[in-house]
Amino acid sequence: MRARLLALALLALPWLVQPAAAQSGVAAGFSAFLQNEVWPEARARGVSRATFDAALGNVKPNLNLPDLVLPGQKPAVAENQHQAEFQSPANYFNERNLGSIVSRGRSLLQQHAATLQRIERQYGVPGPIIVAIWGRESGFGSAKIPHDAFEVLATKAYLARRKDMFRAELLAALQIVQDGDLTVAQMKSSWAGALGQPQFMPTKFRELAVDFDGDGRRDIWNSVPDTLASIANYLRQSGWVAGRDWGFEANVPDSVSCANEGPDMVRPIDTFVKAGVTRVSGRPFPDNEQRAPGNLLMPAGRFGPAFIATPNFYVIKAYNNSDLYALFIGHAADRMRGGGPFQGDWVKVSGLTRGDVARMQEKLQATGYDVGGADGLPGFKTRRSIGDYESKNGMTANCWPTRDLSRKLGQ
């Protein structure tokens, strides 16, 4: 038995040696990438050699970060999803998390009322929307942001699926230090490279951060006025329409197909009213919204609440490209103003992995459906394509990836 175990151990040895060799090769390629590709671009943008060396001279690739593609690997959809915004809607709207942000947000709305009123006059964005984003992004500034931004951004610029995007962010981070906004040691970020209390990527910091307290610095790490005004400026520059809401929870009758969802199917809100859509509150849609554009939003298909969204919903989504994120912000803001919980229930369904959904999308694409890409994320194009497929194949149109649909598609 002992000899057999020894033989098995020797057979396993190459598998133990291979990762170390692969990591050594990655480290060598990473160093060459920084020196031969990143440094010339940084120098062309006015970054000094001293700044470059201080930021990147001792940085090693962090292979524990998610969504990396090692040399020799083919990019593939991750089997499981790391980012909360693209996981189960039922989990995302956990009342404990949502309620704590609403409760603390109400207090902070009062505490910073004068500042928020000035910000709304200047940028047109309501205080509750700003505060909800502040809470969601960094727990109102209390969340620990532990990562070395240069390690994260350099690793992702070399190994992530979206290398070009992270390369631009890495260069912008170098410029932030060169400009004197922060020191290298102060450049702490999320695992995705986002900075400060509003979690701006470096390019967004340089473009949109605001000095609202008048001290000469755009300090989104320590200044509440700068943080709140920077969030408002981000939304205004993304197209926020002053005076309009983000959307309304609605009752959508079965006669209105969930396959009619999407911002590219916008129409006057009173068109939905004529089709039988009502607000769950029982109140009519506001007069100023009746003839204004809106669209059907069903982020969990028929397995969750439905909404009529306005263009401002998609402005919030520009901050974080997730329907669930934008809905969380709008709903939390409503509750800070005295609104109640969702009236529709979020039903836990399917248990499919991101990889399962990607394979489902590939099957639908092969039959001519536009699912918005086989990325494993059930966005509105995937949801409505599912609804169309279900209707045409004798199934109840639920507009959500389920195991029943997976079996129907032969997975």
Side-chain angles (χ1 to χ4, degrees):
M1 176 64 72
R2 187 176 299 171
R4 183 181 177 190
L5 291 174
L6 179 60
L8 289 172
L10 291 172
L11 285 172
L13 187 59
W15 295 99
L16 299 175
V17 174
Q18 187 177 0
Q23 289 183 26
S24 177
V26 168
F30 178 75
S31 179
F33 164 73
L34 294 180
Q35 297 302 323
N36 300 333
E37 298 188 42
V38 177
W39 163 238
E41 286 192 67
R43 179 176 56 194
R45 296 187 182 203
V47 175
S48 70
R49 186 72 207 196
T51 296
F52 183 86
D53 287 344
L56 296 170
N58 296 313
V59 166
K60 307 297 182 188
N62 182 349
L63 302 185
N64 293 319
L65 294 171
D67 299 327
L68 302 182
V69 181
L70 297 181
Q73 291 182 345
K74 291 183 179 180
V77 172
E79 193 63 31
N80 293 298
Q81 178 53 257
H82 296 283
Q83 194 168 342
E85 282 75 17
F86 300 105
Q87 295 181 11
S88 165
N91 294 337
Y92 191 78
F93 294 107
N94 178 287
E95 182 58 31
R96 183 175 179 181
N97 296 335
L98 182 55
S100 66
I101 286 180
V102 169
S103 177
R104 179 70 175 138
R106 286 175 181 153
S107 174
L108 290 169
L109 279 171
Q110 295 179 350
Q111 182 179 338
H112 300 291
T115 298
L116 288 164
Q117 286 167 8
R118 287 178 53 220
I119 290 171
E120 183 166 1
R121 285 195 297 270
Q122 183 165 338
Y123 297 101
V125 182
I129 293 288
I130 299 167
V131 170
I133 290 175
W134 185 27
R136 186 62 188 170
E137 291 295 336
S138 65
F140 309 107
S142 67
K144 293 182 179 180
I145 304 173
H147 295 284
D148 177 339
F150 289 106
E151 178 188 79
V152 170
L153 294 170
T155 299
K156 287 183 170 287
Y158 184 57
L159 294 172
R161 291 179 178 82
R162 295 180 293 170
K163 293 181 176 64
D164 290 343
M165 185 202 85
F166 283 106
R167 185 167 175 158
E169 298 298 345
L170 175 60
L171 292 165
L174 289 166
Q175 290 175 285
I176 288 171
V177 174
Q178 185 67 42
D179 293 344
D181 290 299
L182 283 184
T183 66
V184 169
Q186 292 170 325
M187 288 287 284
K188 298 298 182 182
S189 76
S190 71
W191 63 263
L195 307 171
Q197 295 189 43
Q199 287 289 274
F200 279 11
M201 295 301 286
T203 55
K204 294 301 183 184
F205 171 84
R206 300 193 74 238
E207 178 187 355
L208 298 171
V210 171
D211 172 21
F212 202 73
D213 61 15
D215 69 351
R217 295 184 63 236
R218 301 181 297 169
D219 186 0
I220 62 172
W221 292 266
N222 304 295
S223 168
V224 170
D226 288 5
T227 293
L228 299 179
S230 295
I231 292 170
N233 189 40
Y234 193 120
L235 296 177
R236 184 186 70 170
Q237 297 299 329
S238 298
W240 186 271
V241 180
R244 290 207 68 186
D245 211 315
W246 66 269
F248 309 87
E249 188 177 354
N251 297 308
V252 178
D254 291 342
S255 57
V256 177
S257 172
C258 55
N260 289 325
E261 181 190 3
D264 55 353
M265 301 183 74
V266 68
R267 61 201 70 180
I269 289 176
D270 63 4
T271 304
F272 292 103
V273 174
K274 293 172 183 174
V277 175
T278 60
R279 291 178 66 183
V280 296
S281 66
R283 298 190 298 272
F285 289 93
D287 290 341
N288 70 309
E289 298 283 4
Q290 289 275 354
R291 292 182 177 81
N295 63 271
L296 186 62
L297 170 70
M298 301 184 75
R302 291 285 182 183
F303 296 108
F307 306 86
I308 296 297
T310 80
N312 281 344
F313 176 86
Y314 297 94
V315 173
I316 301 172
K317 193 175 172 182
Y319 202 101
N320 183 319
N321 189 26
S322 159
D323 286 341
L324 299 187
Y325 176 90
L327 184 56
F328 187 105
I329 298 304
H331 180 66
D334 285 350
R335 287 177 61 171
M336 288 178 200
R337 288 180 284 213
F342 294 116
Q343 291 196 28
D345 292 327
W346 298 97
V347 181
K348 290 187 178 182
V349 291
S350 81
L352 298 175
T353 68
R354 181 173 176 178
D356 291 332
V357 175
R359 289 183 283 275
M360 182 181 294
Q361 290 168 322
E362 289 171 352
K363 295 264 189 177
L364 289 168
Q365 277 184 328
T367 58
Y369 287 94
D370 177 10
V371 297
D375 56 5
L377 306 176
F380 74 89
K381 288 186 177 180
T382 293
R383 296 194 297 264
R384 71 187 185 196
S385 293
I386 288 173
D388 278 338
Y389 179 90
E390 288 170 326
S391 294
K392 292 174 182 176
N393 287 273
M395 304 174 69
T396 300
N398 288 313
C399 298
W400 189 254
T402 63
R403 292 206 174 278
D404 284 345
L405 177 61
S406 180
R407 285 191 288 269
K408 184 77 171 179
L409 289 166
Q411 289 182 248

